[in-house]
Amino acid sequence: MSAALRALPAVFSLGLQQQLAYRWNYFLRSVFSALPLLVSWVFWGAVFRERATVGNYTLAGILTYYAVLLVVEAVCQPSDDDFQISREIREGMLNPILLRPLPYGLYRAALFAAGRSAYLLAALVPVSFSLFLVSRAMDLDLARLSLGHGVPALLGAALLQFSLTLCLSLCSFWLLDVSALIFLVYALEFLAGGHVFPLDLLPPPLFAVVRLLPFAYEYWFPAAALCGNLSEGAWKAGLCLQYGWAFFFMVLAHFIWKAGLRRFTAAGG
Amino acid sequence: MQLLRLWLLQLRYAATRELMFRANFFVWVAVELAWFVIQLAFIGVIYHHVEEVAGWRRNEMIVLVTTNQLVIQIFTAFLMPGLSKLPELVRTGKLDFVLVKPAPPAFLISTSHLEIGPLANGGIAVAMLVAAVGGLGLHPSWGEMAWYLALVFAGLLVHYAVLMTLVSLSFWIIQAESVLLGYYTLFQVARIPREAASGWFRVVFTFAIPLLLVANVPAASLIRGGQPGPTALFLLSGLLAAVFSTAFFLFGLRRYQSASS
């Protein structure tokens, strides 16, 4: 195990090099990632034109939420990890990895961390520019930002997203093509995760239900925690649920991996 | 006429290929439907709190969003699958096989694939559209419906132009898969009511990249009747965008170095 841990920095560095091999592709991706904030600014600006609040949000509050969501995305959202894992299984690229004395989950976690670090760097300029544009038009609610609440929630969200991604992509042991499954869950994450709108804008009974699902802890919870929108009690309860879901999906991924390996046929190279 | 015959042949071949994977068809219908439900849910949540947004009431907004969905689904069925393959064709050198054929390469690439699933979702969008139009108490004539459809097809031109321009970047950038993400992100703009936008945002997305017109002009023509100014602007800018994108593709093609040894 200690040998495996010693190998992780090398895997991380490898992942970083892989990510930065196609810099323009990466830069374009990060530039486009900032556009939704501008779209939200225009749309919500129209919603708030004749009213000061919608639900518990002011215009500045909701735009801060969407701005923070960009940071949550940059830190937590897997980019191509799901399709890479699927390819490794389907195309037999798993064979050399299986020979290494390194648990596959740890190997992928190091690559995920490398991908997020590279993306965070690349997204810094376009996200800051788009934040600058929005903040010129209005004062964002930045004074309420809570790093103490936000950072643990961000780490939990990264762990949850990584473990859920691992579970989905490991289905490639049984399915020829997992892209439809991935996009279906992606749609659920967008809606029930608070990516499209803050979940506390939902009618209270619906909000109570989605708070129990894992998706809420991928985007809404870390964003709300960073924005300082959660009480101490709600933050602690949310953190327990978030890390609980992450642990559940990690255990599930472990069992899927074990079952999948029994089906896997290593052929050729 | 020859291009039309070629297109029909490509369609038949692509349909045969698609129908080999029937389960895949149903799964992708579910995926696309889920994304459409997200948009409707968003409208549901917004109008749970407000009566109108930029002068658009709930059913009017549904007409806008379903119109946008209709354009997207037609585009996704007929043109997008082929266009989105261009970065891979360039990177692997398989574009050679397209270039040796005696037909315009832009035409061959964009019509080479077909996805049937989006057509089913287009049907769902039409059903939602009819319900929303009914909810508004509107009874459009056949002429108005034909004009609406013509504007929907003009919207396809804008989609074609934007995606063609983005995928043509693959002649300069080795791995350009992120341009597809760009396409999806850019077209979030098309779902916004034009009246919501102002300043530079409205100018850029009306005149330079006419995304604010793609769904707004057809939807508004159905709800409020013909608007000659925005319609003329839409048709002209759509045409110009398509011409520009094709020229950009041909310009990029000059950089292509083939994969043959």
Side-chain angles (χ1 to χ4, degrees):
Chain A
M1 192 63 188
S2 64
L5 291 177
R6 278 204 305 276
L8 285 183
V11 178
F12 181 86
S13 157
L14 189 72
L16 215 54
Q17 289 169 48
Q18 276 174 359
Q19 297 288 339
L20 297 176
Y22 302 107
R23 284 174 284 275
W24 271 104
N25 187 48
Y26 224 68
F27 179 69
L28 275 180
R29 193 187 172 97
S30 58
V31 166
F32 286 127
S33 73
L35 191 67
L37 180 62
L38 298 179
V39 175
S40 302
W41 170 37
V42 171
F43 183 81
W44 285 97
V47 172
F48 278 90
R49 211 170 274 167
E50 283 163 23
R51 56 192 63 80
T53 59
V54 171
N56 293 326
Y57 288 91
T58 58
L59 179 56
I62 209 146
L63 288 179
T64 308
Y65 175 84
Y66 283 111
V68 165
L69 210 54
L70 287 181
V71 179
V72 174
E73 258 184 12
V75 175
C76 310
Q77 194 177 325
S79 51
D80 194 32
D81 301 66
D82 30 23
F83 291 103
Q84 281 177 19
I85 296 170
S86 178
R87 267 199 304 276
E88 281 174 356
I89 294 170
R90 275 188 297 110
E91 295 173 10
M93 287 168 345
L94 203 56
N95 304 354
I97 302 168
L98 286 174
L99 291 174
R100 294 174 197 163
L102 181 66
Y104 186 69
L106 268 182
Y107 167 72
R108 288 306 325 182
L111 290 181
F112 171 73
R116 292 302 80 210
S117 308
Y119 185 74
L120 204 58
L121 273 179
L124 209 62
V125 173
V127 168
S128 308
F129 180 67
S130 130
L131 272 175
F132 167 74
L133 276 183
V134 176
S135 62
R136 265 175 64 99
M138 70 174 50
D139 291 328
L140 291 173
D141 241 355
L142 299 176
R144 286 178 59 202
L145 285 187
S146 166
L147 286 180
H149 279 182
V151 172
L154 265 180
L155 291 176
L159 207 60
L160 177 57
Q161 294 219 24
F162 170 70
S163 52
L164 181 57
T165 297
L166 201 56
C167 284
L168 290 174
S169 39
L170 288 179
C171 292
S172 294
F173 282 118
W174 292 269
L175 301 172
L176 194 63
D177 181 11
V178 288
S179 54
L181 179 70
I182 288 168
F183 280 116
L184 202 58
V185 175
Y186 197 43
L188 268 175
E189 286 173 329
F190 254 60
L191 183 61
H195 205 286
V196 186
F197 49 81
L199 292 179
D200 37 357
L201 284 181
L202 282 169
L206 261 179
F207 180 48
V209 173
V210 295
R211 279 184 87 159
L212 297 175
L213 302 176
F215 309 116
Y217 299 93
E218 294 185 81
Y219 296 107
W220 171 77
F221 177 69
L226 261 173
C227 287
N229 293 347
L230 298 174
S231 68
E232 190 70 20
W235 175 71
K236 280 180 182 165
L239 216 54
C240 286
L241 264 170
Q242 187 186 45
Y243 279 87
W245 274 118
F247 180 70
F248 168 78
F249 283 116
M250 270 194 276
V251 172
L252 187 64
H254 174 74
F255 283 112
I256 297 175
W257 169 254
K258 289 272 178 202
L261 269 192
R262 279 198 291 274
R263 276 183 60 93
F264 182 68
T265 309
Chain B
M1 203 58 193
Q2 194 197 353
L3 285 184
L4 180 68
R5 217 176 61 233
L6 193 57
W7 182 54
L8 290 175
L9 273 174
Q10 296 234 80
L11 274 187
R12 204 173 70 183
Y13 172 65
T16 312
R17 198 172 40 199
E18 268 290 288
L19 289 171
M20 283 165 65
F21 306 102
R22 289 179 197 82
N24 196 46
F25 162 78
F26 289 109
V27 174
W28 279 105
V29 168
V31 171
E32 289 289 338
L33 192 59
W35 285 100
F36 185 38
V37 167
I38 287 179
Q39 294 174 44
L40 295 178
F42 182 59
I43 294 176
V45 168
I46 295 291
Y47 284 90
H48 176 69
H49 294 277
V50 302
E51 286 294 311
E52 59 173 48
V53 177
W56 291 66
R57 291 170 290 147
R58 180 196 290 262
N59 276 330
E60 291 173 335
M61 189 66 96
I62 293 177
V63 171
L64 176 68
V65 168
T66 48
T67 299
N68 187 45
Q69 177 75 356
L70 186 61
V71 180
I72 288 175
Q73 294 304 322
I74 297 173
F75 184 70
T76 309
F78 293 104
L79 298 169
M80 187 178 173
L83 280 175
S84 59
K85 298 273 187 300
L86 181 63
E88 192 191 332
L89 290 176
V90 173
R91 199 175 62 238
T92 57
K94 287 180 183 165
L95 189 61
D96 295 6
F97 300 114
V98 177
L99 296 177
V100 292
K101 290 177 185 163
F107 172 82
L108 284 177
I109 292 163
S110 47
T111 57
S112 62
H113 287 72
L114 167 77
E115 276 185 22
I116 301 173
L119 292 178
N121 282 306
I124 294 168
V126 170
M128 289 294 302
L129 177 71
V130 170
V133 167
L136 286 168
L138 298 171
H139 304 284
S141 65
W142 287 106
E144 284 169 329
M145 282 193 278
W147 183 234
Y148 170 80
L149 273 182
L151 292 174
V152 162
F153 281 101
L156 290 176
L157 267 187
V158 179
H159 274 261
Y160 172 84
V162 171
L163 189 56
M164 180 54 118
T165 306
L166 286 173
V167 292
S168 295
L169 289 174
S170 57
F171 290 114
W172 287 271
I173 305 166
I174 299 168
Q175 194 179 36
E177 273 73 11
S178 64
V179 296
L180 280 182
L181 176 80
Y183 164 78
Y184 287 119
T185 312
L186 273 172
F187 271 91
Q188 289 186 13
V189 175
R191 294 199 299 259
I192 305 176
R194 203 157 63 98
E195 293 77 1
S198 58
W200 65 266
F201 190 93
R202 185 165 173 150
V203 172
V204 168
F205 289 110
T206 300
F207 297 100
I209 318 170
L211 303 182
L212 274 176
L213 305 175
V214 170
N216 270 271
V217 170
S221 83
L222 206 57
I223 298 167
R224 290 157 199 157
Q227 298 168 304
T231 306
L233 179 64
F234 175 44
L235 295 175
L236 184 67
S237 55
L239 202 63
L240 282 177
V243 170
F244 168 80
S245 66
T246 307
F248 187 61
F249 166 79
L250 293 173
F251 176 62
L253 197 59
R254 286 162 55 186
R255 272 183 61 91
Y256 179 64
Q257 289 182 318
S258 169
S260 50
S261 53

